[in-house]
Amino acid sequence: MISEEILNELKEKIGNDKIKTEDFHLMTYSRDWSPRPKDDTHLPNIVVRPNSTKEVSEIIKVANKYKIPVTPIAGLTGMGGGAVPVHGGIALETKGLNKVLEIDKKNFTVTTQAGITVLKLNEYLEKEGLWWPHDPESKPSSTVGAAISCDNDSTFGIKYGRSVDFLLNAVIVTGTGEILRIGHRKALCTSTGYKLHWLLIGAEGTLGIITEVTLNIFPIPETRAIDGYLFRSIQDALNGLNRLLQSGLSVESAHINCKSRLGFYTQAYREKFGKEPEIPDWAESILFISFNGDKEVADFSQNYAKKILTNGQIVKEREIIDSWWSSKHTLSLIPFVQKWPDSQRVKKFGSADLGIPIGRIQEAYELYNQIAKKYDIQILGMCVYNERPNRISPSISFAVFVDDSTNENVKNFYNYVKEMSEMAIKKEGTMSTYIGDGDRLGGFNRIEHGRSLDYMYEIKKIFDPNNILQPGKKFKSQWIS
Ligand SMILES: Cc1cc2nc3c(=O)[nH]c(=O)nc-3n(C[C@H](O)[C@H](O)[C@H](O)COP(=O)(O)OP(=O)(O)OC[C@H]3O[C@@H](n4cnc5c(N)ncnc54)[C@H](O)[C@@H]3O)c2cc1C
């Protein structure tokens, strides 16, 4: 697919050192974190690592001329196969685009190249007392460009929102190699033109390579107060959270975990301290919450929450709260590295990531248990993240363990995802809230989008007339028919 002649043309444009063709390099870029059979690999023909928008443009011009598929690749922690080069071709590694271009303290914006990791960007901002409060657990590896491309969840979504709330403008390279700046400079809202930059959110690289972005940023809050409350059902936890929000408190993070997921934290406690935590048998869910801001405000919020959440029981063991917090920020929670019920690193996991209307979450939880059982899949647990400012805004991970030893087992997992997705649509929700379509939901997602899927494809053609950017992704599935 990539002849010597094409390779030489690329070398001339971006330099030999930015092109890799050795097998061990190709192998590194052949999988992401999506459940796939353990021997399944999709090798690109070459890997390129540009440092500038201009170099990205040169690469795409060559790819477009010879109709070579291009897969933008960042930290490879995506869980939907978005960064897997299923058609070979060029793996465009974006992590060379890692420079912070401007921190504008007066206007609370940062302009950065898009391949920087979320963690690194925040390390730069911290020196100035600033913060991009977008916080996926995978932040040490995952990049700013991928956060936008996957429309990530964030630990702090219930206060600060997601990409749609931060992204002010972006520079992209389209499928013809054209460099385009889209968005509204540093203004926080606009009513002119179409919001083309919002099309990038969740586009998974199908419309263009994001090379640069300007984001709204915030001062680092003085302090944070964190608690956990046990409830008799998921619904009770949701009602409690709703009361907190109605009271006027500003909640920084709010995650509701089911009993199974709570088991991870209690087990971590048992393993570490060799004693039983005081968790009553009736506890069916746990609400972890945090408040941030000036110390007086955070303390007041924490105490006021105690007054409101009277039908919940506060978790006494601070170690359980700390282990939740560290699971969000360091990935060092004991269950991630030990065998209970199996380490996530030993036994693979996958999720149906659904958006369910707030009044139907308890029903969805019960169906999750039934559907997993039907496919003979062990559940890992459900977590309700909240992702829009100041409201219950569920992005729900219905996680299960995946046995990736055979093709058949992996297909079984995707059949589970399919049935869960159908359930979400019946409940007037959505099939994906943070993983994206990737190479799993495409085509099948017509049950969600109907005729508008054709309009989406027409939009893609405007940005990428020869369909070289991520061919098939979002519009075809490897796993679901
Ligand atoms: C341990 C772990 C924890 C996780 N925690 C979270 C979490 O808290 N919240 C959450 O939402 N997700 C989470 N995820 C999922 C995953 O980390 C996110 O989806 C993340 O955004 C992927 O980033 P990445 O840099 O690894 O991207 P990749 O997997 O490399 O790519 C993801 C997609 O973005 C596209 N892309 C990447 N860069 C660009 C670019 N510059 N321009 C255009 N397209 C681009 C790729 O083509 C691909 O389609 C987690 C995953 C793991 C393994």
Side-chain angles (χ1 to χ4, degrees), residues 33 72 74-78 82 137-138 142-143 146 149 152-153 204-205 210 470:
W33 271 64
L76 284 166
T77 65
E137 289 165 34
S138 52
S142 64
T143 71
S149 301
N152 261 180
D153 272 355
E204 300 177 81
I210 307 171
Q470 297 276 56

Side-chain angles (χ1 to χ4, degrees), residues 16 22 31 49 80 97 112 120 147 283 295 314 362 430 463-464 477:
N16 204 4
E22 299 85 351
R31 286 179 74 117
R49 189 182 158 96
L97 299 158
T112 179
K120 262 273 169 284
K295 181 152 180 9
I314 199 154
Q362 182 73 46
T430 176
F463 283 86
D464 177 25
S477 173

Side-chain angles (χ1 to χ4, degrees), residues 222-236:
E222 183 183 305
T223 192
R224 168 175 291 128
I226 314 168
D227 270 319
Y229 287 84
L230 302 163
F231 289 91
R232 288 174 191 276
S233 66
I234 305 279
Q235 192 58 50
D236 280 359

Side-chain angles (χ1 to χ4, degrees), residues 127-310:
K127 291 178 201 150
E128 307 291 333
L130 294 165
W131 183 39
W132 184 41
H134 182 74
D135 199 88
E137 289 165 34
S138 52
K139 58 188 169 281
S141 304
S142 64
T143 71
V144 170
I148 293 160
S149 301
C150 299
D151 201 3
N152 261 180
D153 272 355
S154 159
T155 301
F156 308 121
I158 196 164
K159 180 152 181 176
Y160 299 98
R162 303 209 302 196
S163 290
V164 71
D165 302 289
F166 300 116
L167 181 65
L168 305 181
N169 71 70
V171 174
I172 63 166
V173 175
T174 68
T176 58
E178 187 175 356
I179 298 170
L180 206 61
R181 182 178 286 279
I182 48 183
H184 35 87
R185 288 158 293 273
K186 292 182 181 175
L188 279 163
C189 36
T190 178
S191 55
T192 123
Y194 296 127
K195 291 171 182 59
L196 289 186
H197 60 307
W198 283 5
L199 280 181
L200 302 176
I201 299 172
E204 300 177 81
T206 55
L207 302 179
I209 316 291
I210 307 171
T211 59
E212 218 182 282
V213 290
T214 301
L215 306 163
N216 184 205
I217 51 175
F218 295 78
I220 297 175
E222 183 183 305
T223 192
R224 168 175 291 128
I226 314 168
D227 270 319
Y229 287 84
L230 302 163
F231 289 91
R232 288 174 191 276
S233 66
I234 305 279
Q235 192 58 50
D236 280 359
L238 285 161
N239 294 345
L241 176 58
N242 212 14
R243 273 292 301 126
L244 285 184
L245 295 166
Q246 283 163 5
S247 76
L249 289 179
S250 173
V251 179
E252 186 204 24
S253 60
H255 294 179
I256 298 171
N257 288 286
C258 73
K259 193 168 190 150
S260 259
R261 277 198 109 120
L262 169 60
F264 274 80
Y265 300 104
T266 51
Q267 177 65 16
Y269 182 88
R270 248 177 246 121
E271 287 284 321
K272 198 163 172 192
F273 301 103
K275 57 180 180 184
E276 248 341 273
E278 284 182 50
I279 304 291
D281 287 345
W282 53 255
E284 284 293 324
S285 70
I286 183 164
L287 165 65
F288 287 110
I289 42 168
S290 69
F291 301 97
N292 66 356
D294 289 3
K295 181 152 180 9
E296 214 177 325
V297 175
D299 287 349
F300 169 82
S301 305
Q302 189 174 30
N303 288 327
Y304 201 76
K306 284 182 190 145
K307 277 196 198 167
I308 292 179
L309 297 175
T310 45

Side-chain angles (χ1 to χ4, degrees), residues 70-88:
V70 178
T71 307
I73 290 185
L76 284 166
T77 65
M79 297 171 75
V84 179
V86 281
H87 298 291

